[in-house]
Amino acid sequence: MTDNKGVTYQGPGKVEVQTIDYPGFELKDGPGVNPANVGRKVRHGAIIKTVATNICGSDQHMVRGRTTAPPGLILGHEITGEVVETGPDVEFVKNGDLVSVPFNIACGRCRNCKEGKTGVCENVNPDRPGSAYGYVDMGGWPGGQANYVLVPYADWNLLKFPDKDQAMEKILDLAMLSDIFPTGFHGCVTAGVKPGSTVYIAGAGPVGLAAGVSAFLLGAAVVIIGDLNKDRLAQARSFGCETIDVSQGEPRDQIEQILGEPEVDCGVDAVGFEARGHGAEAGTEHPATVLNSLMDTTRAGGALGIPGLYVTGDPGAADEAAKQGSLSIRLGLGWAKSLAFTTGQCPVMRYNRQLMMAILNDRVQIAKAVNATPIPLDQAPRGYEDFDKGAARKYVLDPNGVLVS
């Protein structure tokens, strides 16, 4: 049997690269696997030899101990790779295909999938709609920070790159299609970004940077990104964004200095539940800060795209309400301003083909914008550590030695 190694969560602040089972076409018991999924046949699946698999900020929430993820969970939901084996029910995907794997696991058969809401598929997670590879409370499908990974419903889920050689020339850009590029794009689309828009994006991590790229792709006139991290703000400026340091005060005041008015047309939350305060409170967590500030800075009649992660269980929260995902949101302000809100997982399949075409035809350089940095799989623990410290990089793991010589 071919060797397989993967990145596993071992408890707060600790990940290890361990030998794991080579994937088969049946979901086995293991850390985080829903009992109702144990023994599930995956005749419709494909086994992927991983070419690139990214460290995501959502992974970092688990590694920090801010979720109920169990030790031993195999991490990773941003997967790009080559098909090496298919189940007997796969018709169209072939061995040798180079593919992008949407982080949402979707069946293609349920009502939500048929309506394009692949982030809340009803058939892959027995607990609730929605699933993802290597993620807490998502059904227990093994993650893709590994040499090999199983992808169910392969004909439906996989996006094949049309020319393998061309794709390998742009593989770091294409590796962003599994999650952060569509997620940032979704945040902007749901915030109503269009030609001439002014946009404020909270957060200059990889998703926030991807949202900045997306806003320009959609025709925004001015894109402003706010963060506490000076290196990440410099990365945002590298491709034309205006920036504000929220440790210096409220976004509203700094937005006015840039635009001449304190409000923008569109707001995007690329931070999520581990948000920190602004100004003098920047050193402490205030999980509702970003949502409240976006309501304050988005014009009446505007919209908020909220791709930033919010959870139903946060054992590390500062108060009991936040531990249950209950935040002190100024909903009255949002209601009074007739703001629209869009939350939840990005339905990656709604956007990934279009964004692939933009990459392949040189309309966007997403890897450069997010500072994609490939590292070997065995350096994953260091990658997680550096990312947690605020490195202005998007770490791309290279399990099979394709990216890093």
Side-chain angles (χ1 to χ4, degrees), residues 250 275-278 281 284-294 310 328:
E250 291 298 324
R276 294 183 178 273
H278 297 151
E281 297 183 330
T284 56
E285 280 194 17
H286 294 271
T289 296
V290 169
L291 291 172
N292 287 332
S293 68
L294 284 171
Y310 289 87
S328 299

Side-chain angles (χ1 to χ4, degrees), residues 53-64:
T53 177
N54 313 333
I55 295 176
C56 180
S58 298
D59 298 321
Q60 200 71 62
H61 292 305
M62 289 188 291
V63 173
R64 290 185 186 125

Side-chain angles (χ1 to χ4, degrees), residues 40 105-125 128-131 153 156:
R40 184 171 182 164
I105 303 174
C107 72
R109 295 151 167 80
C110 70
R111 173 180 174 178
N112 282 342
C113 283
K114 289 179 178 181
E115 292 178 355
K117 301 172 184 175
T118 55
V120 281
C121 173
E122 298 173 320
N123 288 332
V124 287
N125 181 359
R128 63 173 185 262
S131 188
Y153 303 102
W156 168 252

Side-chain angles (χ1 to χ4, degrees), residues 7-11 13-17 63 75 380-382 384:
V7 180
T8 61
Y9 169 67
Q10 294 297 316
K14 186 177 182 181
V15 300
E16 289 182 0
V17 178
V63 173
L75 299 171
R382 181 177 176 181
Y384 271 96

Side-chain angles (χ1 to χ4, degrees), residues 95-375:
N95 288 357
D97 287 348
L98 190 63
V99 296
S100 178
V101 183
F103 80 89
N104 324 108
I105 303 174
C107 72
R109 295 151 167 80
C110 70
R111 173 180 174 178
N112 282 342
C113 283
K114 289 179 178 181
E115 292 178 355
K117 301 172 184 175
T118 55
V120 281
C121 173
E122 298 173 320
N123 288 332
V124 287
N125 181 359
D127 282 335
R128 63 173 185 262
S131 188
Y133 304 90
Y135 211 82
V136 59
D137 296 333
M138 289 290 185
W141 299 88
Q145 288 175 10
N147 299 104
Y148 298 90
V149 64
L150 173 68
V151 174
Y153 303 102
D155 282 328
W156 168 252
N157 282 305
L158 295 178
L159 173 68
K160 178 184 174 181
F161 301 137
D163 185 292
K164 197 169 183 179
D165 291 336
Q166 181 194 24
M168 285 305 300
E169 292 175 0
K170 299 177 181 293
I171 194 64
L172 285 181
D173 292 288
L174 295 170
M176 302 304 135
L177 290 174
S178 58
D179 183 354
I180 67 162
F181 196 8
T183 294
F185 195 83
H186 180 63
C188 289
V189 168
T190 54
V193 178
K194 56 183 181 293
S197 296
T198 57
V199 185
Y200 174 54
I201 299 164
V207 169
L209 297 172
V213 171
S214 299
F216 284 126
L217 195 58
L218 289 164
V222 182
V223 178
I224 304 169
I225 296 185
D227 203 290
L228 304 163
N229 184 307
K230 289 180 171 53
D231 291 338
R232 289 180 171 180
L233 291 174
Q235 186 65 28
R237 289 193 293 273
S238 73
F239 59 93
C241 297
E242 301 286 343
T243 61
I244 60 176
D245 182 346
V246 296
S247 70
Q248 302 303 306
E250 291 298 324
R252 184 181 182 91
D253 299 331
Q254 298 181 66
I255 287 170
E256 185 170 21
Q257 294 175 14
I258 295 169
L259 297 178
E261 56 184 2
E263 292 184 325
V264 294
D265 299 321
C266 315
V268 178
D269 175 1
V271 176
F273 72 104
E274 288 193 65
R276 294 183 178 273
H278 297 151
E281 297 183 330
T284 56
E285 280 194 17
H286 294 271
T289 296
V290 169
L291 291 172
N292 287 332
S293 68
L294 284 171
M295 284 188 278
D296 185 41
T297 58
T298 302
R299 70 175 182 85
L304 307 185
I306 309 173
L309 176 67
Y310 289 87
V311 295
T312 56
D314 174 10
D319 59 68
E320 290 302 316
K323 288 181 180 179
Q324 308 301 318
S326 180
L327 309 181
S328 299
I329 298 171
R330 297 184 63 195
L331 187 59
L333 174 61
W335 190 94
K337 296 179 75 173
S338 293
L339 298 176
F341 298 73
T342 301
T343 64
Q345 291 185 25
C346 164
V348 170
M349 294 173 69
R350 192 177 298 175
Y351 309 107
N352 62 351
R353 185 187 179 277
Q354 299 97 304
L355 296 177
M356 175 188 75
M357 294 301 292
I359 290 169
L360 294 177
N361 289 282
D362 299 318
R363 299 302 179 193
V364 64
Q365 293 181 307
I366 183 66
K368 182 178 179 181
V370 301
N371 197 15
T373 304
I375 59 175

